Amino acid sequence: MITTNRTTLSNGLRIVHHFDGSTPMVAINVMYDVGSRDENPEMTGIAHLFEHLMFSGSVNIPDFDEPVQLAMGENNAWTSTDLTNYYITLPANNIETALWLESDRMLSLEFSQKSLDVQRKVVVEEFNQRYINQPYGDMSLCMMPLAYKVHPYRWQAIGADMKGVETINLDQLREFYYSHYAPNNAVLCICGNISSDQAIRLAEKWFGPIPQRNITTRNLPREPVQTEARYLEMTGKVPQDAITKMFHICDRKHANYYATDLISDLFSRGSSSRLYQSLVKEQEMFTEIDASVSGTHDAGLMYFSGMVHPDKNPQKALEALNNTIYALCSETIASAELEKVLNKVETERIFGLSNYLGKATQLAHAEILGNANDLNNEGEHYRAVTPEHIRCAAQQYLTESNSNTLIYLRKK
Amino acid sequence: MNTLNRSQKPLVSIPTKLNLPKAKVRLLNNQTRIHIFDDGTEEVVRIDFVFGASTWHQSQLLVARSTLRLLREGTQTFDSQSLAEKLDGYGAYISSGNSHHTSTFTLYCLNRYLPELLPVVCEILYQPTFPADELENLKTRWIEEYKTESEKVRILASRALNKAIFGIHHPYGVQICEDDFKHLETRMLKDFHNKWYHPNNLNIYVSGYANEATIAEIEKHFGYQIPSVLPEIKQYTPETATKTRINIEKKGAVQAGIRTGALTISRHHPDFPALSVVNMLLGGYFGSRLMKNIREDKGYTYGISSGIIPYKETGLWTIQTEASADYVENVLEEINKEIVTLCNEPVALSELEAATRYMSGELLRSFDGPFAAAESYRALYEQNLDFAYYDRVLNELQTISPDRIADLATKYLKNAKQITIVAG
């Protein structure tokens, strides 16, 4: 049980505090409710570029990193399709340094044309390093546009390409900032060796004076229901054929989410899982195979990704994968199999919450989704799933007409 | 209410002494040593079983790695699938990995299932059967993985550097090719296991919820195997190449992997803590000179770092980055400039302070919580160092001067026999 104190400042900033006396440290997460889904389709990759620029100077503080280092801290950030999260860990005594820094960059930014020019190049190098100069890197860039035709999940957080990053100007960035970065569009989570009174008093001191802003109302197009299987074949200079298959599933807050997550676990969590036993060990169709759900705030995907065995025909491998996936739709799984993945989920959940930064991130995320305390009910939600739920969810989502298959063939 | 002065930094307090958690150590009857970090609030535990048996001890390539990986693919009582069902059934996670000197099998689990899981783990470690078909399946998978890895410029540069620094006859410099996988046979694994997997060659690290009951449960299963005479451990000396620059061509690469390296001192050397500070200033963290210049000022790369890999008897000082082919020579030139500047101009106190405080923070973080503490402790223990090492580090962080930084930069960086690899 993670005990939290929650409050909202008059400017709309939601605050979550959790005391953890087992550490001398404290973690501060500022999670903004903005991600790549909020980008203009003509200018993708901006939310992530912006995350880089958040370290390039705010209104009163020219250098973000050095004060963190002088306070014995460490900081970083990440951007996803739904969120942008900034975090600092440091000794609890030095918490004000973190609040001072985070509040200043929520108040106003002050970066130069030079910072923008440099960070553009850095992000282009990041794009090249992760997606272009990496075997199968371009495969992941093709996955989203295959599965999504309308919704902004059709590009990845890094951007569909680097055009937006290369051309955006300071005015456009300022506009992005003022329409998404605001106390009333963020959660501040403080987790560690600090009392709730002190945490909330200091949060009020540094963040309270920041004015509320008009946030662009999110009005994203819904992805239409897919009615026909999609298939894409590509080739590249890679050593091994690869297959990815994606099915549309529900959103993160939907009642079916826990069942879909467990379905991906039945398929791929641990060496006893269905995909590994059947496709890697018995049939030797793949050398590696994995399943997962995206867990995005809007309707997401269930992924199946495998590397085809060098002696096997990729079409035969795909057929074997399909058989294994669709078999779940016509059976009611044994309770022992469900119990197994529930145990795995429990172990992972507890390890994931065994450190203050992990807790801070998960609490902030739960608060963005509605209420930080919901994190305490996650275990029950998983335990409430029955073999019947699994069968229904499998029948609903795992159908060929709802599928998107991407085959990546090695150039001969 | 006072108006907030945002241009004024809040005060920072720096602890003068760090209270690092200590391990409890116990020797079982059969000479297996247990190291305990009991600090868990939730009932989960991590147990690392670490055998002194790895690439340093093997006489054929890949044998140590395949022995470790195949342990869980069959024992005298269970086949591969039943083992997987057992471990997964109780919600356990298993991982395994080799360093050059140790093979580690790790169990992560809920404490309530330890009584069911430990006997299975015990069989896995002490009574494996190494089924031939499982080895064949694994070989295919590893070869494919190896081919994919070989497409990455970062990997190519790293392999080439170790080869150049240590030579192919040294366990740190040895190069693997596809055929080495094909030559593996189960008898080699059985032989390796017979030689090295004994209780007197095992250290167990328990972290998390690790009270007396947990330890008693472990002792019940791991305290009674009989110790055995261990083979002698071979010695190797590095044979460093004389070239200073090696280019590896990789057609179609958009970026080049750059890696430089030179042999340096080990953690046992009295200068090591101070040299870590020099390295930190150069490229050890986000605020380092290499990052500030090459990423934050020039935008040549997404990231660049330098580090000292603390091998058991030596150290390897390296710098690594990936950058567009067009920037490679500029990057190398800037690296050189930064090394020279570090030797010739005294570092500003504020810059030094940022680095040393960041390092004190790192130290705190590396011992924060039982899991991190056990890992940091283990890294020391395996190099025959104890916590006095951290007292030396702390002392250095509090006293090191700009002059000493410049001296050490000259002695260990500028005068080092650096080899540069460019793959791309």
Side-chain angles (χ1 to χ4, degrees):
Chain A
M1 173 83 183
I2 300 170
T3 321
T4 63
N5 299 287
R6 299 164 61 238
T7 186
T8 304
L9 300 186
S10 56
N11 59 12
L13 178 66
R14 285 165 281 171
I15 297 173
V16 181
H17 163 266
H18 163 69
F19 174 75
D20 181 346
S22 73
T23 169
M25 313 290 282
V26 67
I28 283 91
N29 273 63
V30 181
M31 193 176 273
Y32 290 92
D33 192 353
V34 58
S36 60
R37 67 175 166 162
D38 300 303
E39 292 165 344
N40 173 346
E42 306 300 315
M43 278 274 177
T44 62
I46 298 313
H48 169 250
L49 172 68
F50 206 85
E51 173 219 309
H52 278 242
L53 287 164
M54 283 285 275
F55 294 89
S56 299
S58 55
V59 58
N60 296 295
I61 309 172
D63 181 352
F64 186 91
D65 292 310
E66 197 181 78
V68 180
Q69 291 146 10
L70 285 170
M72 296 174 68
E74 185 167 71
N75 61 285
N76 211 335
W78 49 258
T79 309
S80 72
T81 51
D82 299 324
L83 299 167
T84 313
N85 182 45
Y86 299 85
Y87 58 94
I88 303 181
T89 59
L90 75 188
N93 290 338
N94 295 340
I95 185 175
E96 283 211 70
T97 300
L99 299 174
W100 168 64
L101 288 160
E102 288 296 357
S103 63
D104 204 55
R105 62 181 176 182
M106 186 184 282
L107 182 68
S108 185
L109 282 185
E110 195 62 66
F111 53 82
S112 62
Q113 182 65 45
K114 172 163 185 194
S115 305
L116 171 57
D117 294 340
V118 167
Q119 290 309 319
R120 279 192 225 280
K121 284 164 81 179
V122 171
V123 170
V124 170
E125 289 300 317
E126 180 180 358
F127 183 78
N128 287 340
Q129 185 174 323
R130 290 197 173 159
Y131 298 95
I132 305 302
N133 208 33
Q134 223 35 261
Y136 309 99
D138 54 341
M139 181 179 189
S140 62
L141 290 177
C142 296
M143 281 158 46
M144 293 297 109
L146 180 65
Y148 290 98
K149 297 300 169 193
V150 172
H151 190 279
Y153 288 160
R154 67 185 190 272
W155 58 87
Q156 298 216 74
I158 188 83
D161 50 43
M162 286 291 100
K163 271 185 263 153
V165 169
E166 280 163 345
T167 58
I168 195 162
N169 62 38
L170 282 174
D171 285 337
Q172 290 166 309
L173 281 164
R174 243 171 246 132
E175 194 193 312
F176 185 85
Y177 178 79
Y178 284 109
S179 41
H180 297 292
Y181 279 76
N184 43 316
N185 202 36
V187 166
L188 166 66
C189 184
I190 300 176
C191 203
N193 202 335
I194 182 169
S195 72
S196 87
D197 285 356
Q198 206 191 355
I200 288 166
R201 184 177 59 77
L202 292 174
E204 169 75 52
K205 171 180 166 187
W206 291 102
F207 287 87
I210 303 172
Q212 192 156 346
R213 289 182 191 128
N214 288 326
I215 295 305
T216 311
T217 318
R218 186 174 283 135
N219 188 10
L220 302 177
R222 269 182 84 90
E223 184 65 22
V225 174
Q226 186 181 337
T227 51
E228 207 168 67
R230 298 183 193 130
Y231 183 88
L232 177 68
E233 223 174 81
M234 60 192 290
T235 56
K237 217 191 136 293
V238 290
Q240 203 175 356
D241 300 326
I243 298 175
T244 290
K245 190 153 182 146
M246 300 166 285
F247 297 87
H248 290 277
I249 56 166
C250 57
D251 62 77
R252 180 64 183 76
K253 288 165 86 166
H254 194 280
N256 281 349
Y257 173 75
Y258 298 96
T260 59
D261 194 24
L262 289 174
I263 287 176
S264 71
D265 291 336
L266 289 167
F267 277 120
S268 85
R269 203 181 277 246
S271 305
S272 71
S273 62
R274 289 175 171 233
L275 295 177
Y276 186 80
Q277 281 300 329
S278 157
L279 301 176
V280 176
K281 298 298 281 288
E282 276 163 41
Q283 303 181 56
E284 299 193 7
M285 284 290 179
F286 290 85
T287 59
E288 268 176 61
I289 190 134
D290 193 25
S292 60
V293 292
S294 61
T296 46
H297 293 194
D298 293 323
L301 297 172
M302 188 180 299
Y303 297 87
F304 295 86
S305 272
M307 308 294 288
V308 180
H309 190 286
D311 303 337
K312 296 291 179 345
N313 175 315
Q315 290 305 331
K316 294 271 179 225
L318 176 60
E319 208 177 291
L321 172 63
N322 285 339
N323 290 339
T324 312
I325 295 173
Y326 297 136
L328 190 68
C329 302
S330 50
E331 65 175 297
T332 306
I333 61 161
S335 54
E337 192 181 356
L338 183 56
E339 181 63 24
K340 172 184 83 175
V341 289
L342 287 169
N343 280 337
K344 299 277 288 189
V345 167
E346 185 181 348
T347 311
E348 195 202 22
R349 260 178 47 75
I350 299 178
F351 272 101
L353 294 172
S354 68
N355 130 328
Y356 61 98
L357 178 59
K359 276 191 276 196
T361 313
Q362 294 193 45
L363 286 170
H365 192 187
E367 183 67 27
I368 291 258
L369 285 168
N371 184 338
N373 290 328
D374 289 344
L375 196 58
N376 287 315
N377 308 326
E378 292 265 288
E380 280 167 43
H381 287 308
Y382 281 106
R383 290 271 170 199
V385 173
T386 63
E388 185 60 17
H389 288 140
I390 296 281
R391 194 171 55 85
C392 288
Q395 283 171 352
Q396 182 177 348
Y397 301 118
L398 300 178
T399 67
E400 191 60 16
S401 61
N402 184 35
S403 75
N404 299 273
T405 307
L406 180 55
I407 299 213
Y408 197 126
L409 299 169
R410 59 196 142 150
K411 252 182 213 157
K412 294 274 158 54
Chain B
M1 195 179 124
N2 295 331
T3 20
L4 207 51
N5 182 0
R6 288 186 181 272
S7 53
Q8 182 70 45
K9 266 199 264 213
L11 288 178
V12 161
S13 73
I14 302 300
T16 47
K17 211 173 162 301
L18 305 178
N19 287 321
L20 303 179
K22 299 264 188 286
K24 277 186 275 178
V25 183
R26 242 183 258 179
L27 193 61
L28 303 184
N29 275 332
N30 59 3
Q31 297 172 44
T32 292
R33 204 177 282 271
I34 304 193
H35 312 256
I36 306 153
F37 279 90
D38 172 22
D39 205 11
T41 43
E42 302 283 352
E43 292 203 12
V44 288
V45 65
R46 167 180 170 169
I47 310 178
D48 294 278
F49 299 89
V50 183
F51 287 94
S54 198
T55 54
W56 194 276
H57 310 83
Q58 69 192 9
S59 34
Q60 292 105 337
L61 291 174
L62 296 166
V63 166
R65 192 177 145 197
S66 9
T67 302
L68 175 64
R69 181 58 189 80
L70 233 61
L71 291 174
R72 67 181 111 139
E73 302 298 343
T75 65
Q76 285 174 6
T77 335
F78 304 109
D79 66 4
S80 164
Q81 192 180 353
S82 343
L83 284 172
E85 292 288 351
K86 286 234 168 234
L87 296 169
D88 284 340
Y90 295 111
Y93 288 80
I94 295 296
S95 72
S96 58
N98 298 88
S99 74
H100 289 294
H101 299 274
T102 56
S103 289
T104 304
F105 183 95
T106 305
L107 170 72
Y108 303 84
C109 70
L110 300 161
N111 284 66
R112 66 173 189 264
Y113 292 129
L114 269 183
E116 286 82 7
L117 287 164
L118 284 174
V120 181
V121 172
C122 188
E123 235 192 275
I124 288 175
L125 296 180
Y126 286 122
Q127 294 171 312
T129 48
F130 302 110
D133 55 335
E134 299 289 348
L135 178 61
E136 289 312 307
N137 188 299
L138 186 71
K139 276 153 82 168
T140 312
R141 280 148 52 199
W142 274 359
I143 290 172
E144 295 308 312
E145 210 181 278
Y146 172 82
K147 285 195 223 158
T148 302
E149 287 296 289
S150 304
E151 291 293 315
K152 300 175 183 167
V153 291
R154 173 173 54 85
I155 302 289
L156 295 178
S158 160
R159 286 181 190 156
L161 181 71
N162 274 51
K163 175 180 166 188
I165 295 281
F166 293 103
I168 53 165
H169 302 298
H170 192 286
Y172 301 162
V174 71
Q175 302 289 301
I176 290 163
C177 67
E178 236 183 278
D179 276 347
D180 295 324
F181 294 96
K182 295 181 181 152
H183 292 152
L184 286 170
E185 293 173 37
T186 50
R187 64 170 174 84
M188 302 173 186
L189 280 50
K190 285 179 186 162
D191 183 52
F192 188 78
H193 185 265
N194 281 337
K195 276 187 183 149
W196 298 102
Y197 279 68
H198 297 294
N200 47 324
N201 198 25
L202 169 66
N203 279 282
I204 302 177
Y205 300 82
V206 190
S207 51
Y209 198 85
N211 60 13
E212 284 302 319
T214 312
I215 304 307
E217 195 65 38
I218 295 174
E219 179 155 16
K220 191 164 114 193
H221 297 284
F222 288 89
Y224 302 97
Q225 295 79 14
I226 299 162
S228 176
V229 179
L230 299 170
E232 204 170 309
I233 298 174
K234 272 193 239 167
Q235 293 308 314
Y236 298 93
T237 7
E239 293 163 14
T240 307
T242 47
K243 285 186 192 165
T244 55
R245 165 91 180 242
I246 297 168
N247 293 325
I248 298 164
E249 204 193 324
K250 170 93 178 58
K251 283 217 174 84
V254 179
Q255 285 178 323
I258 303 174
R259 203 164 165 106
T260 74
L263 282 177
T264 191
I265 53 179
S266 80
R267 268 186 172 162
H268 291 272
H269 195 286
D271 284 344
F272 192 88
L275 184 60
S276 311
V277 181
V278 178
N279 173 69
M280 191 59 66
L281 289 164
L282 177 69
Y285 74 135
F286 204 92
S288 69
R289 293 182 175 194
L290 292 178
M291 271 302 257
K292 278 192 172 152
N293 176 358
I294 295 170
R295 170 179 149 139
E296 292 296 288
D297 186 62
K298 311 257 175 4
Y300 289 151
T301 177
Y302 175 51
I304 179 162
S305 65
S306 69
I308 307 168
I309 304 172
Y311 287 111
K312 212 167 180 174
E313 279 125 19
T314 180
L316 176 61
W317 167 51
T318 66
I319 298 173
Q320 48 271 315
T321 186
E322 281 159 80
S324 292
D326 302 346
Y327 298 145
V328 169
E329 299 309 320
N330 303 62
V331 168
L332 291 172
E333 198 184 313
E334 294 301 327
I335 290 176
N336 252 329
K337 269 196 217 160
E338 291 300 346
I339 294 172
V340 171
T341 312
L342 210 49
C343 302
N344 294 348
E345 293 167 25
V347 50
L349 282 173
S350 60
E351 185 186 352
L352 182 56
E353 200 171 32
T356 52
R357 288 208 195 153
Y358 175 80
M359 288 175 81
S360 323
E362 278 290 275
L363 204 53
L364 268 184
R365 270 182 282 276
S366 65
F367 279 90
D368 194 28
F371 306 117
E375 271 181 35
S376 303
Y377 161 82
R378 182 185 149 192
L380 281 189
Y381 180 81
E382 288 183 352
Q383 301 208 341
N384 304 319
L385 287 160
D386 58 20
F387 274 66
Y389 171 79
Y390 283 113
D391 293 333
R392 293 201 293 280
V393 172
L394 264 183
N395 182 49
E396 200 63 73
L397 292 178
Q398 285 158 5
T399 56
I400 194 163
S401 68
D403 284 348
R404 184 152 153 79
I405 297 283
D407 287 350
L408 292 174
T410 310
K411 185 170 173 190
Y412 292 111
L413 305 189
K414 199 170 134 201
N415 295 343
K417 287 191 186 129
Q418 229 186 332
I419 299 179
T420 300
I421 313 285
V422 177

